[in-house]
Amino acid sequence: MVSEKPLSKKKIAQQTISLSPALKDRIEKYVKENNEKNPEDERFRSVSSFYNYVMTLSMDSLEKGKNLDDLKSFVDAEIKGFFDKITFNALIPYYETAIRTNRYTHLFFEKNTFFYLTLRRLYLARMDPYDNISIKTIFNRVRNFLFSNNLTREVNLDLFTGKTGKDLSGVFEYAGIYKNLTFENCKYNAALFGLLGVKITNFLYSDKDDYFRFDLKTTDLFYRKDLAKKERIKLINHNLSYFINYLRIIDDKAYYFWMKLADDKRVIITFNNEETKNDWINLIQSEIEKFGDKEDYPLNMLKFFEKLHWIEIESEKDLIFHFRLSKTKYQNEREFLIETLSKKSKISQTNGKYQVKKLNDY
């Protein structure tokens, strides 16, 4: 049997192809500009060198299992490099569970300043607000990145231009794969649109399908380069209100509502019967003793009652606190707290303030 000889890689074969004048001009312009920027780069020494490199790279990708559609959705190095600085690889099932309780947490600008402003710079540097093509170009580049992260099923942006240059509107759609991660993406996209000066005018969310849709309208902020922090924060809050509102919260799991109440110290937790109250106190006491240091027992018990909003600790060092509960309405709760603490501590009172002192035998 005659063995097949490998083909030479020497650049001697020629291939004639037909191009449109527009495409030919784009290629020649691209090669010229990059040759001027990188004269030592052999890929841009000539149009022929550029063709050879691109075709070799394309064929290598196709032979490794890629198809022609994949070539349209690659993540370019600049966008990938940008997001590599603010993202990381993680175990999706773990984070899908971990962020569950974060669903109705507000994305405050002050707590996410670096993230917000970094994304804003990405878009402003590559987008002309008066040019729909530049808007779609940067969106498509980010879109390709989103498809590469194994979280996105579909993402789309349609733009509509009105009679003037400043009445751009659009529709943004996103379909995810994981419920909680999709909801977080929802929130961050809504906040990002607000930061860029785009207002959500209508909203559709399907928890069952992990899908959301924004109807969008540009504001004057979209065409301004200055930060205008107060105005943009106001717009961010408007957009987020479609997600973080009490109609949505009370329609979801009970603990989301309780989490909101826990932040308001004007709200207190009481028990509907003595048995329930004693069950919780016994459980808290036993685990404080089991997992905590013996000398920290009084402070840890004070922290428990503070979590119920019954008291406010004024000094953790001196174990001084005062009641938030009124004497007239919550006399039983006040007596129960003093009685509970007195079992293993000594309680003294001065001018409405109470101090816990550790007993010598505990």
Side-chain angles (χ1 to χ4, degrees):
M1 179 181 292
V2 179
S3 62
E4 183 179 336
K5 295 182 180 180
L7 295 176
S8 172
K9 294 185 178 181
K10 188 176 181 181
K11 300 175 185 178
I12 55 175
Q14 294 184 351
Q15 177 75 58
T16 301
I17 61 174
S18 297
L19 302 175
S20 68
L23 178 57
K24 182 174 181 292
D25 182 67
R26 286 173 62 190
I27 294 173
E28 291 176 346
K29 182 179 179 182
Y30 182 82
V31 171
K32 181 180 178 182
E33 289 177 350
N34 280 276
N35 178 253
E36 292 174 353
K37 295 177 183 177
N38 308 286
E40 301 301 321
D41 194 332
E42 294 184 358
R43 297 173 298 180
F44 303 111
R45 289 284 178 87
S46 65
V47 171
S48 177
S49 296
F50 175 72
Y51 280 142
N52 183 77
Y53 176 79
V54 171
M55 293 308 299
T56 300
L57 193 64
S58 298
M59 290 307 302
D60 287 345
S61 297
L62 293 171
E63 289 171 355
K64 291 178 180 178
K66 297 289 185 179
N67 58 45
L68 293 177
D69 290 332
D70 291 328
L71 298 180
K72 295 189 298 183
S73 59
F74 72 91
V75 182
D76 61 272
E78 183 183 21
I79 294 299
K80 183 178 184 300
F82 172 84
F83 281 103
D84 280 347
K85 297 176 183 178
I86 56 175
T87 61
F88 66 98
N89 293 325
L91 296 173
I92 292 176
Y94 169 79
Y95 273 89
E96 170 67 5
T97 302
I99 66 171
R100 180 178 56 188
T101 55
N102 198 58
R103 174 172 285 241
Y104 299 108
T105 301
H106 199 288
L107 305 178
F108 292 104
F109 181 88
E110 289 77 7
K111 294 182 179 180
N112 299 272
T113 303
F114 175 77
F115 174 79
Y116 278 134
L117 296 185
T118 300
L119 279 178
R120 182 170 181 261
R121 283 192 293 270
L122 169 72
Y123 284 90
L124 292 185
R126 297 158 181 83
M127 181 183 74
D128 180 354
Y130 296 96
D131 181 8
N132 287 8
I133 295 178
S134 74
I135 297 172
K136 287 287 289 185
T137 297
I138 182 61
F139 168 78
N140 286 332
R141 294 174 67 185
V142 174
R143 180 176 185 267
N144 288 341
F145 170 79
L146 293 176
F147 279 128
S148 72
N149 64 13
N150 297 322
L151 303 177
T152 302
R153 191 167 73 247
E154 184 55 69
V155 58
N156 185 60
L157 175 66
D158 292 321
L159 299 177
F160 311 101
T161 305
K163 295 180 180 180
T164 68
K166 283 194 173 184
D167 58 354
L168 184 66
S169 61
V171 172
F172 177 75
E173 295 176 289
Y174 181 94
I177 300 174
Y178 301 92
K179 190 175 302 297
N180 296 318
L181 287 165
T182 297
F183 199 87
E184 286 301 297
N185 277 328
C186 247
K187 288 162 52 181
Y188 274 98
N189 277 292
L192 176 59
F193 278 120
L195 179 67
L196 294 176
V198 181
K199 183 178 183 179
I200 296 177
T201 59
N202 203 1
F203 170 78
L204 174 65
Y205 173 71
S206 172
D207 191 61
K208 179 181 178 181
D209 299 321
D210 298 321
Y211 164 86
F212 63 87
R213 166 189 164 132
F214 302 153
D215 288 352
L216 304 170
K217 181 73 175 177
T218 57
T219 69
D220 288 340
L221 290 171
F222 185 70
Y223 305 94
R224 290 168 56 180
K225 296 294 185 182
D226 58 314
L227 181 57
K229 179 181 173 182
K230 290 183 178 180
E231 292 92 332
R232 293 186 194 276
I233 290 177
K234 184 177 180 180
L235 192 53
I236 289 173
N237 291 338
H238 163 82
N239 288 351
L240 287 176
S241 68
Y242 285 97
F243 298 89
I244 307 172
N245 61 72
Y246 280 98
L247 175 62
R248 187 176 295 281
I249 293 172
I250 62 175
D251 193 42
D252 211 324
K253 302 295 184 183
Y255 59 80
Y256 291 121
F257 184 68
W258 282 95
M259 288 169 63
K260 294 295 182 181
L261 295 179
D263 289 332
D264 189 344
K265 293 185 178 180
R266 298 170 300 176
V267 177
I268 68 167
I269 295 177
T270 58
F271 304 92
N272 63 359
N273 58 61
E274 290 295 315
E275 182 181 0
T276 301
K277 182 167 60 177
N278 290 328
D279 285 345
W280 272 103
I281 291 297
N282 292 335
L283 174 62
I284 298 298
Q285 284 179 325
S286 65
E287 298 207 345
I288 284 177
E289 292 176 340
K290 180 178 179 180
F291 298 106
D293 293 331
K294 185 176 181 180
E295 61 179 16
D296 293 331
Y297 175 85
L299 176 60
N300 287 326
M301 286 301 297
L302 286 180
K303 287 181 177 179
F304 163 66
F305 285 112
E306 189 175 48
K307 295 296 184 186
L308 300 180
H309 297 172
W310 288 17
I311 66 171
E312 181 174 338
I313 300 173
E314 295 189 8
S315 172
E316 292 190 2
K317 178 181 179 181
D318 298 322
L319 301 179
I320 297 174
F321 71 92
H322 68 264
F323 276 104
R324 287 185 170 276
L325 302 171
S326 67
K327 289 183 178 180
T328 54
K329 193 173 182 180
Y330 297 104
Q331 183 63 29
N332 290 338
E333 284 77 6
R334 289 168 65 103
E335 290 177 356
F336 175 78
L337 184 148
I338 296 297
E339 179 183 341
T340 300
L341 294 177
S342 297
K343 291 179 179 179
K344 296 181 179 180
S345 308
K346 182 179 179 182
I347 311 297
S348 62
Q349 178 190 3
T350 305
N351 298 325
K353 296 183 180 181
Y354 295 78
Q355 184 173 25
V356 181
K357 294 183 180 180
K358 304 170 187 176
L359 297 177
N360 293 332
D361 60 345
Y362 186 79

